[in-house]
């Protein structure tokens, strides 16, 4: 199949867009791993709860605002409403994360890591049943966002055929990346979190409450999972199984980037997204294998991942 | 444009012919939805079978189907169809006027063989389902071993009775199978846009044996009907959230025809994302099971699309609801059931599988005067012809069900609150299925180019 330059550009954009969704998921996994040293197997379920929750929140908020109105102002109002819905969804996941950390995880920090794996796997199963209880067995979707955003002209202004919603994901994803780096590099809370990650005992000695930091970090991880779920659901549907694949790919991403490295998660996510996209185009059977092959290659050459562990820099 | 193919459906069928085909029993009449036909002196109780040697023990039946998740879009339709058929049988007095049916339903899920074996351990006298071809390939050999009749609702892989169970006794299939629906769509593509206008073809099909099988058959059929070149084949995994890469590839190639056997929730994802990428400006989509998402795909996603979908052996508008009372009765009853916006071919999979078995048992009772054995029912099902509101069906000696298939343009109907087919063409089974004893591949090979 001959690929034209335009198709090549669109396939790359598809990969970048998927990479940003992956990064939003992997970033939550990364901060929890980097600071709490916990590999949270329930993270994919938090992502899917974000997707389910977002469908209701989108319906409520877009119902108030209505479809994108005419002109720049109307469009801006609609986009603001969508962003508000995403943030509200993510905020709903904050107390969920807080509860999990305070009630369950805090009890087992001092135990062997296998206890954390079993506990978070148990949480995964419980969340699966909770979803079934609340939203039922059937898949559900939101119709309010995807088509509406795609009516806003963007890529066609430069002669491309690319959905505006994907542009929206890339822009919001970029803002999330910038926001996270700004938070950890520039804010006092971010620095305290990094300090705790680098040397827990020293942080305690200078008066940092590690309990609070840990709760905050787990809640932040849940927030990011919910944010990712809300951003990912409009073009597709929320299903009971939707947490599994992103979780597995997120593990690949954080291994490629370096366990617990936010910078590594960003680079890893874009790498996996773009390579997967091109693999589907050029050799479809390699779609699933390609990310794992890259991971294996990087582990052979650089066992600590591209950027090593997190702390000194974000 | 409406095709003028010989139409073997039941539009305008006479009372005598119908009663003759169904064996004249109350159960058969109830299943064909034509209880009004018996009102002139032949009550349901006088339906026609002896009941002297038949116990009044309920018949324990099992249905294996998808009751949740993305495949539930299909599986719940089959469940509701089977439930309605059982309800009608019981309201008509039960099988042989004596035996009501109790139907257990289990999720096909990840261990379908265990669920099937559980049915056998529980002493089920008949099993229905499954939906998935993979499950069917696992179960069919077990059915033969257990010697308990199974009438599958779907499980439509072409090779089932060619390779997996080449000489079946107890395993039957009600639904039109893969080659029939694929050939229907290849003929539909030629019918709609002309063989001379089809020079390039792409495919987006589910990434497992069913999707690969359908693309292989479509390639073989369309290349016999046209000189088309296959320019792209994509196989997204089931439940994929992102199909944009396949859509971009199709936009790059701009094929005359894009063939798809995506089904259930995947149809909604594909259509929405394809529309957002303006794919329908570059190709016309022909799909075997796209209409399975009739109640799920939103109106805005279908606006401006160019999609022709098959509907296997059932489309509720054929025969027209107003022309033949059973169609109206079934449609109204179906739309009142939980989870059914409009009944699709998978609804008829469940309804028809139960009907095939029940009408065969009724015929056996008429002949024997007592309740038949599994082997006698199996013999009766071979060559069995019967009616449902989808029309006339026949299960041939190769155990494969066959009936008309339908295809039309998929549009959104605001009044219905679901997708419907417009300008529907009918294809007779003789146009779409190989003769019994001939493999699908050999049959397609035999077509003159």
């Amino acid at each position: 199949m001959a690929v034209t330059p335009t198709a090549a550009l669109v396939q790359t954009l598809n990969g970048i867009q998927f990479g940003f969704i992956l990064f939003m998921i992997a970033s939550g996994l990364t901060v929890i791993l980097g600071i709490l040293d916990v590999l949270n197997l329930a993270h994919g379920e938090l992502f899917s709860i974000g997707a389910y929750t977002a469908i209701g929140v989108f319906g409520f908020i877009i119902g108030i605002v209505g479809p994108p109105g005419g002109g720049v102002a109307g469009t801006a109002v609609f986009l603001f409403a969508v962003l508000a819905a995403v943030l509200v969804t993510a905020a709903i996941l904050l107390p969920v994360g807080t509860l999990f950390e305070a009630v369950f995880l805090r009890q087992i920090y001092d135990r062997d890591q296998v206890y954390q794996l079993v506990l978070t796997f148990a949480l995964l199963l419980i969340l699966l049943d909770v979803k079934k209880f609340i939203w039922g067995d059937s898949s559900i979707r939101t119709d309010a966002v995807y088509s509406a955003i795609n009516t806003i002209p963007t890529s066609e202004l430069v002669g491309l055929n690319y959905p505006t919603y994907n542009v929206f994901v890339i822009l919001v994803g970029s803002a999330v990346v910038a926001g996270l780096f700004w938070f950890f590099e520039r804010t006092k809370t971010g620095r305290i979190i990094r300090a705790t990650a680098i040397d827990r005992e020293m942080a305690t000695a200078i008066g940092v409450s590690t309990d609070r930091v840990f709760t905050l970090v787990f809640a932040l991880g849940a927030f990011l999972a919910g944010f990712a779920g809300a951003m990912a659901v409009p073009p597709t549907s929320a299903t009971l199984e939707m947490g599994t694949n992103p979780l597995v790919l997120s593990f690949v991403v954080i291994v490629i980037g370096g366990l617990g490295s936010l910078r590594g998660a960003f680079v890893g996510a874009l790498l996996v997204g773009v390579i997967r996209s091109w693999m589907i185009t050029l050799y479809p059977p390699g779609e699933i294998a390609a990310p794992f092959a890259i991971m294996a290659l990087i582990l052979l050459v650089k066992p600590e991942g591209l950027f090593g562990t997190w702390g000194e820099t974000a | 444009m409406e095709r003028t193919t010989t139409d073997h459906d039941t539009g305008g069928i006479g009372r005598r012919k119908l009663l003759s085909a169904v064996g004249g029993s109350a159960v058969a009449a109830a299943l064909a939805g034509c209880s009004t036909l018996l009102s002139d002196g032949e009550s349901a109780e006088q339906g026609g079978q002896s009941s002297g040697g038949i116990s009044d023990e309920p018949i324990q039946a099992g249905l294996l189907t998808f009751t949740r998740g993305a495949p539930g879009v299909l599986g719940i339709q089959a469940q509701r169809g089977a439930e309605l058929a059982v309800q009608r049988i019981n309201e008509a007095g039960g099988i042989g006027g004596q035996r009501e049916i109790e139907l257990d339903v289990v999720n096909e899920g990840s261990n379908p063989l265990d669920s099937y074996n559980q049915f056998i351990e529980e002493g089920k006298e008949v099993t229905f389902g499954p939906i998935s071809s993979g499950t069917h390939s696992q179960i069919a050999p077990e059915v033969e071993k257990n010697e308990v009749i199974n009438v599958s609702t779907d499980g439509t892989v072409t090779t089932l009775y060619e390779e997996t169970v080449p000489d079946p006794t107890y395993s039957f299939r009600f639904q039109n199978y893969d080659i029939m629906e694929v050939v229907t769509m290849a003929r539909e593509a030629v019918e709609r846009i002309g063989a001379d206008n089809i020079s390039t073809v792409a495919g987006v099909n589910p990434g497992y044996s069913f999707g690969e099988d359908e693309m292989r058959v479509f390639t073989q059929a369309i290349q016999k009907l046209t000189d088309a070149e296959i320019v792209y084949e994509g196989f997204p995994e089931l439940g994929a959230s992102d199909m944009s890469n396949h859509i971009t590839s199709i936009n790059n190639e701009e094929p005359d025809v894009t063939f798809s056997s995506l089904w259930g929730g995947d149809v909604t994802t594909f259509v929405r994302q394809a529309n957002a990428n303006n794919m329908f400006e570059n190709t016309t989509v022909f799909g075997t099971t796209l209409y399975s998402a009739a109640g799920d795909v939103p109106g805005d996603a279908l606006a401006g699309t160019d999609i022709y979908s098959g509907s296997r052996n059932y489309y509720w508008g054929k025969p027209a609801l107003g022309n033949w009372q059973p169609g109206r009765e079934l449609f109204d009853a179906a739309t009142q059931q939980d989870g059914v916006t409009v009944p699709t071919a998978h609804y008829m999979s469940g309804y028809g599988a139960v009907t095939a078995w029940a009408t065969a048992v009724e015929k056996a009772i008429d002949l024997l005067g007592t309740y038949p054995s599994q082997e006698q029912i199996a013999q009766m099902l071979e060559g069995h012809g019967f009616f449902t509101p989808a029309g006339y069906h026949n299960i041939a000696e190769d155990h494969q069900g066959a009936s008309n298939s339908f295809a039309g343009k998929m549009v959104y109907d605001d009044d219905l609150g679901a997708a419907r087919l417009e300008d529907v063409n009918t294809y007779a089974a003789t146009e779409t299925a190989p003769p019994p004893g001939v493999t699908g591949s050999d049959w397609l090979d035999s077509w003159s180019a």
Side-chain angles (χ1 to χ4, degrees):
Chain A
M1 183 181 73
V3 180
T4 63
T6 304
L9 176 62
V10 172
Q11 292 293 26
T12 306
L13 285 172
N14 287 338
I16 291 171
Q17 181 262 349
F18 185 75
F20 270 110
I21 293 284
L22 262 186
F23 171 72
M24 290 182 219
I25 306 167
S27 58
L29 203 62
T30 295
V31 293
I32 291 172
L33 183 68
I35 296 159
L36 275 62
D37 205 20
V38 168
L39 191 56
N40 179 23
L41 295 178
H43 196 74
E45 294 311 308
L46 294 173
F47 162 76
S48 70
I49 284 178
Y52 274 104
T53 306
I55 289 170
V57 176
F58 279 135
F60 182 74
I61 292 184
I62 307 294
I64 295 170
V65 176
V72 177
T75 302
V77 168
F78 184 79
L79 290 177
F80 179 76
V82 171
L83 269 177
V86 172
L87 286 168
V88 168
T89 302
I92 290 171
L93 269 292
L94 274 173
V96 176
T98 305
L99 189 77
F100 278 13
E101 199 281 335
V103 175
F104 300 110
L105 282 170
R106 192 176 291 177
Q107 320 304 324
I108 59 161
Y109 285 133
D110 297 332
R111 296 203 191 178
D112 195 272
Q113 211 160 30
V114 71
Y115 287 90
Q116 295 171 4
L117 292 177
V118 171
L119 176 69
T120 55
F121 187 66
L123 289 173
L124 179 159
L125 296 175
I126 291 166
L127 288 177
L128 207 56
D129 274 348
V130 167
K131 284 191 299 183
K132 213 182 291 180
F133 179 75
I134 298 175
W135 290 286
D137 286 336
S138 301
S139 59
I140 57 171
R141 61 164 202 276
T142 171
D143 294 334
V145 178
Y146 186 63
S147 301
I149 288 187
N150 285 329
T151 61
I152 301 166
T154 48
S155 62
E156 58 265 44
L157 299 176
V158 291
L160 260 189
N161 179 15
Y162 193 65
T164 298
Y165 189 80
N166 291 14
V167 176
F168 181 67
V169 168
I170 292 171
L171 292 176
V172 172
S174 302
V176 170
V177 174
L180 276 175
F181 282 106
W182 171 80
F183 174 73
F184 286 115
E185 298 277 1
R186 302 286 176 190
T187 67
K188 187 180 173 190
T189 311
R191 286 174 179 157
I192 288 172
I193 292 172
R194 278 171 51 210
T196 312
I198 296 165
D199 191 332
R200 196 174 299 180
E201 286 180 6
M202 182 62 78
T204 309
I206 61 171
V208 172
S209 165
T210 51
D211 278 0
R212 276 193 198 169
V213 169
F214 283 11
T215 305
L216 174 69
V217 166
F218 201 91
L220 176 64
F223 177 91
L224 290 167
F227 194 96
M231 288 299 294
V233 80
T236 181
S237 304
T239 65
L240 289 177
E241 308 83 6
M242 72 180 293
T244 312
N245 280 352
L247 179 70
V248 173
L249 275 183
S250 296
F251 284 151
V252 172
V253 162
I254 64 174
V255 170
I256 288 174
L259 290 179
S261 164
L262 205 56
R263 197 178 301 264
F266 177 57
V267 174
L270 289 190
L271 200 62
V272 166
V274 172
I275 287 175
R276 173 187 165 275
S277 176
W278 274 102
M279 199 51 91
I280 293 172
T281 307
L282 300 175
Y283 183 64
E287 175 195 349
I288 295 170
F292 292 93
I294 300 164
M295 183 179 77
L297 191 68
I298 286 174
L299 284 178
L300 280 173
V301 179
K302 209 162 181 246
E304 72 278 14
L306 290 176
F307 291 89
T309 51
W310 180 52
E312 298 295 341
T313 61
Chain B
M1 175 192 66
E2 183 122 2
R3 250 174 124 249
T4 53
T5 307
T6 307
D7 192 343
H8 296 291
D9 69 29
T10 52
I13 186 175
R15 170 182 172 275
R16 185 181 299 278
K17 185 179 175 189
L18 177 62
L19 289 177
S20 165
V22 301
S25 77
V27 160
L31 286 167
C34 56
S35 54
T36 53
L37 290 170
L38 295 170
S39 61
D40 55 346
E42 293 178 87
S43 70
E45 288 72 26
Q46 292 166 317
Q49 62 283 331
S50 60
S51 57
I54 302 172
S55 80
D56 57 1
E57 280 289 301
I59 294 170
Q60 300 300 320
L63 170 68
L64 203 55
T65 188
F66 289 114
T67 59
R68 56 176 174 262
V73 173
L74 278 59
I76 290 169
Q77 287 260 350
Q79 178 184 347
R80 297 292 178 248
E83 287 170 346
L84 186 67
V86 165
Q87 180 192 325
R88 288 188 167 209
I89 290 168
N90 292 344
E91 285 171 358
I95 299 291
Q98 296 282 104
R99 303 191 65 188
E100 294 199 347
I101 299 174
E102 291 179 356
L103 183 71
D104 270 356
V105 181
V106 296
N107 183 37
E108 209 168 310
S110 54
N111 297 306
L113 194 56
D114 289 347
S115 300
Y116 168 75
N117 285 328
Q118 182 68 29
F119 277 158
I120 297 302
E121 283 171 25
E122 289 168 359
K124 298 284 190 270
E125 292 181 52
V126 60
T127 60
F128 303 107
I131 296 284
S132 154
S133 293
T135 304
H136 203 189
S137 298
Q138 289 180 60
I139 284 174
E142 293 293 308
V143 169
E144 294 302 310
K145 202 166 74 185
N146 292 319
E147 300 182 352
V148 175
I149 301 281
N150 168 262
V151 185
S152 87
T153 49
D154 292 271
T156 51
V157 70
T158 303
T159 52
L160 186 85
Y161 294 134
E162 293 177 359
E163 295 171 14
T164 310
V165 187
D167 186 22
T169 303
Y170 299 97
S171 169
F172 293 85
R173 176 158 59 190
F174 162 77
Q175 186 55 273
N176 287 356
Y177 60 129
D178 289 357
I179 193 167
M180 297 178 73
E181 61 187 12
V182 175
V183 168
T184 296
M185 293 321 294
R187 292 194 187 283
E188 176 76 351
V190 171
E191 186 81 22
R192 296 287 178 179
I193 58 181
D196 293 341
N197 295 322
I198 302 174
S199 55
T200 50
V201 170
V204 179
N205 291 276
Y208 70 110
S209 57
F210 165 75
E212 289 156 11
D213 192 42
E214 294 246 327
M215 187 63 206
R216 182 181 54 75
V217 176
F218 188 81
T219 300
Q220 204 177 352
I222 201 74
Q223 287 185 333
K224 285 284 185 181
L225 295 170
T226 69
D227 291 324
E229 176 196 358
I230 308 301
V231 293
Y232 179 74
E233 291 182 51
F235 294 96
E237 62 185 9
L238 280 179
S241 61
D242 181 8
M243 302 204 192
S244 42
N245 295 98
H246 304 293
I247 292 161
T248 301
S249 295
I250 289 169
N251 280 339
N252 182 44
E253 295 291 342
E254 299 187 3
D256 299 317
V257 164
T258 296
F259 171 72
S260 178
S261 56
L262 293 172
W263 51 269
D266 285 346
V267 175
T268 304
T269 300
F270 177 63
V271 172
R272 296 177 91 198
Q273 295 182 2
N275 207 351
N277 283 275
N278 300 325
M279 193 191 85
F280 296 99
E281 292 174 7
N282 300 316
T283 191
T284 304
V285 175
F286 290 84
T288 50
T289 45
L290 300 174
Y291 191 70
S292 63
D296 190 53
V297 64
D300 61 347
L302 275 179
T305 60
D306 204 1
I307 300 175
Y308 292 91
S309 175
S311 187
R312 286 198 172 167
N313 67 0
Y314 178 61
Y315 180 63
W316 49 266
K318 285 282 187 176
L321 291 175
N323 288 355
W324 193 53
Q325 188 58 24
R328 178 89 257 169
E329 280 182 16
L330 182 94
F331 187 80
D332 289 344
T335 51
Q336 286 166 18
Q337 287 174 290
D338 192 24
V340 182
T341 310
V342 289
T344 64
H346 294 87
Y347 190 94
M348 193 50 65
S349 296
Y351 191 94
V354 173
T355 303
W357 172 82
T359 51
V361 175
E362 290 282 303
K363 272 189 189 173
I365 291 172
D366 273 345
L367 285 170
L368 300 169
T370 185
Y371 195 84
S373 66
Q374 293 285 341
E375 194 176 0
Q376 286 165 334
I377 299 171
Q379 286 172 353
M380 202 55 65
L381 273 164
E382 284 192 4
H384 180 46
F386 58 96
F387 283 93
T388 71
Y392 179 73
H393 309 264
N394 177 257
I395 293 187
E397 58 265 37
D398 61 359
H399 289 213
Q400 173 57 56
S403 53
N404 285 345
S405 51
F406 306 96
K409 186 169 170 60
M410 201 157 138
V411 296
Y412 194 81
D413 187 321
D414 287 325
D415 294 335
L416 194 65
R420 65 175 167 82
L421 297 180
E422 200 172 67
D423 190 13
V424 177
N425 283 329
T426 305
Y427 295 85
T430 47
E431 293 180 279
T432 60
V438 179
T439 66
S441 183
D442 287 349
W443 181 60
L444 289 173
D445 274 343
S446 72
W447 289 12
S448 54

